[in-house]
Amino acid sequence: MFRATTFDELFEGTKALPWENWLPKDAAFPVSGRSVKSQLSSVPACQAIVKKAIVDRLSTAYHQSWFDETGHTYALEVALHKDDVLLTMDTSGEGLHKRGYRTLNGPAPLKETLAAALIDLSRYESHRPFADPMSGTGTIAIEAALKGLNMAPGRLRTFAAESFSFVNHEAFARAREEARDRELRQPLDMIASDIDPGARKIAEVHAQKAGVRQFIRFETMDIRAFKSDAEYGCVVTNPPYGERMGRDADMDALYHAMGQAARRLPTWSWFVIAADPQFPRKFGRKSDKNRKLYNGRIECHFHQYLGPLPKRTFVKHDVTAREDD
């Protein structure tokens, strides 16, 4: 990091870094940028200056004036904040929410990272029954299974740094092996259900790809039919929002049905992410806790309805469909 209030300072500060240690002759190195509360407020200009400075440094190091950039990509970013300059290299490539198992698309998918955060914010542990009664394409249940089995979320994907010339590639192989050694093979009591049979099929494909298909029971089921004989279960779910449902009356009925299902399971904890500010009233109970979150650009609240915590024992249960009351 260095300070720059002029383009000359930005150029010289960038050029002073040993880019030849990180970028081979054929490297492709696109430069993105952002600027907040800095005198150098033109992001395109900052990107161009940084690019020019790196080329100038590499020209001296490699004794050539032109770079075709036909090799691996080393994506760079120049970030200015209050005139402090931070130059970074993207070691991930695709966003970290892309775990590698979600290959099919469904309506309004929840990012894997947000689903994992919801699981972490809930009180789910692997010895408890778990359910997502509006599972869609299965992301929340799959992330819960990955957590319960201690499976590394990125084990199915690659990272940009794996192709970097200055990175020890054996380190990635060792990290994957260490992650596999930490995985657990234990029974999980999990169900993912949805009223849409097409979504269920996609969820099963994703669970198979993620390596957790055998740990999750998938059902086609309306929330009104959701029940269980087990105690101390944990529900984490992402019900449809207005953008997906279409009519307020449909949402009101859905949230009311969720509340009825929760009342049938008084020892269960429910964790619901919803965009409707009136959700607790429609659900029929004020949440014990709630946290503001964003699902993409949609402001939501994660409503937490806390039941009693169980002892650490595994009890097999059955979640079945039943006729509406």
Side-chain angles (χ1 to χ4, degrees), residues 4-283:
T5 58
T6 67
F7 288 128
D8 284 342
E9 290 176 341
L10 178 61
F11 182 91
E12 294 300 331
T14 301
K15 184 180 177 181
L17 296 173
W19 294 102
E20 65 275 11
N21 293 345
W22 307 313
L23 302 177
K25 290 182 180 181
D26 63 348
F29 51 102
V31 180
S32 60
R34 51 196 171 95
S35 178
V36 178
K37 299 179 180 178
S38 294
Q39 294 186 53
L40 300 179
S41 58
S42 173
V43 173
C46 291
Q47 293 172 227
I49 291 294
V50 167
K51 182 83 172 187
K52 182 178 179 181
I54 295 173
V55 169
D56 205 38
R57 172 82 187 208
L58 295 181
S59 295
T60 300
Y62 292 133
H63 307 291
Q64 62 185 61
S65 59
W66 181 261
F67 297 90
D68 291 326
E69 300 191 41
T70 56
H72 292 296
T73 298
Y74 298 70
L76 307 176
E77 181 188 68
V78 51
L80 295 94
H81 182 251
K82 296 181 179 179
D83 299 325
D84 286 329
V85 180
L86 180 64
L87 295 169
T88 57
M89 183 178 295
D90 180 4
T91 59
S92 298
E94 288 192 307
L96 291 176
H97 70 279
K98 295 186 178 182
R99 313 288 211 204
Y101 65 78
R102 203 165 74 182
T103 57
L104 303 175
N105 292 323
L110 192 73
K111 284 188 176 180
E112 297 92 315
T113 42
L114 179 55
L118 301 185
I119 298 299
D120 285 342
L121 289 172
S122 77
R123 298 193 293 180
Y124 171 67
E125 295 184 53
S126 59
H127 64 283
R128 298 183 67 181
F130 176 90
D132 180 357
M134 287 167 285
S135 60
T137 55
T139 305
I140 289 178
I142 292 170
E143 290 296 326
L146 292 175
K147 179 181 176 67
L149 298 169
N150 201 36
M151 288 183 168
R155 75 195 193 289
L156 299 178
R157 57 163 290 168
T158 58
F159 299 87
E162 293 183 67
S163 64
F164 290 177
S165 59
F166 60 89
V167 170
N168 180 358
H169 300 154
E170 293 180 358
F172 280 91
R174 288 197 301 271
R176 286 192 168 90
E177 184 176 355
E178 290 171 3
R180 284 193 295 269
D181 289 342
R182 293 189 176 99
E183 291 179 4
L184 303 174
R185 279 296 179 264
Q186 61 182 358
L188 297 179
D189 195 2
M190 312 189 77
I191 182 169
S193 59
D194 198 275
I195 195 172
D196 180 1
R200 171 192 167 174
K201 291 180 180 178
I202 293 175
E204 292 188 75
V205 171
H206 289 170
Q208 184 69 36
K209 180 71 173 178
V212 297
R213 174 64 186 86
Q214 66 271 37
F215 298 95
I216 306 172
R217 177 180 169 188
F218 290 92
E219 295 281 354
T220 301
M221 186 193 306
D222 191 298
I223 182 64
R224 295 170 182 83
F226 178 72
K227 68 173 185 176
S228 175
D229 294 329
E231 294 184 311
Y232 309 116
C234 180
V235 168
V236 183
T237 194
N238 173 39
Y241 307 156
E243 290 82 354
R244 294 157 61 190
M245 288 290 287
R247 295 189 304 169
D248 290 343
D250 293 332
M251 288 188 292
D252 291 353
L254 175 66
Y255 296 158
H256 178 69
M258 291 175 62
Q260 288 184 317
R263 286 187 286 277
R264 292 195 296 268
L265 300 169
T267 64
W268 282 55
S269 297
W270 286 64
F271 301 86
V272 184
I273 182 171
D276 188 343
Q278 298 300 314
F279 174 82
R281 178 182 62 79
K282 298 172 183 178
F283 185 80

